[in-house]
Amino acid sequence: DCVDSIPDAAMGETWSEPAIGRVRLNNNPEWVVFFASGYSNLDNSNVGRTIYALDVYTGEKLKDWTLKEEASAAGEGSAELPEINIENALTASPMLVDLNTPDDVGDYGFVDRLYIGDLEGRVWKLVMDGAVRNNIDQWKRCVFFDAGDADGDGTRNWAPIITRPQVSMVQPGEPNVYF
């Protein structure tokens, strides 16, 4: 059966490939699909900056996280066409990471981190392990990396991160993130 649905107001053109992983919710293992809301060609900065988590089997939205928008700065945008001001968006695909090894009985095989890049040169991290593992409402998001304003002149460096970050585990529990 087809169900009528109304798209989420924060949804842009979702260019990211979904990432599927197993998480614990209320002490139950659940399969969840994560994806980004994508680029927006609308004059609305609330579109395109959201990470979604949906139940793999039902499509029910479990949670979304809207990421912070930085204020526009003079000269932001393309160096070739400075009049173009691109709103921030999540066009990259998320990377899911399990920090555990098979020796970590009970926690191995569950997603602990999500990493995703944005058009303003940041990589965001969603933390979903430890004391908050079972409660999706307590999963924390933060900026993991920010190209930012490297020379301090008030202009953010335009260094979009549009590919899925990659992760290697050289030491158990210590991810090395590449983008």
Side-chain angles (χ1 to χ4, degrees):
D1 291 332
C2 293
V3 177
D4 289 336
S5 64
I6 298 171
D8 191 275
M11 182 64 70
E13 299 173 14
T14 181
W15 296 350
S16 73
E17 293 179 12
I20 298 173
R22 193 167 65 144
V23 300
R24 278 197 208 278
L25 298 176
N26 302 317
N27 291 317
N28 294 312
E30 302 285 345
W31 287 98
V32 175
V33 59
F34 296 90
F35 63 94
S37 57
Y39 177 74
S40 172
N41 61 358
L42 304 174
D43 290 332
N44 181 346
S45 63
N46 291 326
V47 174
R49 296 181 293 111
T50 303
I51 300 170
Y52 293 95
L54 277 62
D55 181 290
V56 165
Y57 297 107
T58 67
E60 173 191 359
K61 182 170 73 171
L62 302 172
K63 181 77 175 166
D64 61 43
W65 298 268
T66 298
L67 306 179
K68 181 180 171 217
E69 172 70 35
E70 293 290 336
S72 296
E76 182 176 308
S78 167
E80 295 82 23
L81 300 169
E83 68 276 7
I84 296 175
N85 182 21
I86 297 175
E87 294 289 337
N88 192 21
L90 296 166
T91 59
S93 301
M95 171 56 81
L96 304 180
V97 180
D98 179 0
L99 299 176
N100 302 290
T101 67
D103 296 333
D104 298 317
V105 177
D107 289 330
Y108 180 68
F110 291 92
V111 177
D112 297 309
R113 301 280 189 280
L114 176 149
Y115 296 95
I116 190 166
D118 70 19
L119 290 181
E120 289 193 347
R122 291 179 296 227
V123 174
W124 293 84
K125 175 172 72 171
L126 183 63
V127 177
M128 51 188 93
D129 65 339
V132 302
R133 179 181 291 283
N134 284 298
N135 188 340
I136 198 169
D137 292 321
Q138 293 182 350
W139 294 355
K140 302 294 182 202
R141 68 183 179 275
C142 64
V143 174
F144 175 76
F145 169 83
D146 189 349
D149 180 10
D151 59 6
D153 68 356
T155 301
R156 286 190 59 79
N157 294 321
W158 198 72
I161 299 170
I162 59 172
T163 58
R164 180 190 320 260
Q166 297 297 308
V167 177
S168 69
M169 300 289 286
V170 178
Q171 296 291 322
E174 297 180 20
N176 293 303
V177 182
Y178 307 94
F179 46 92

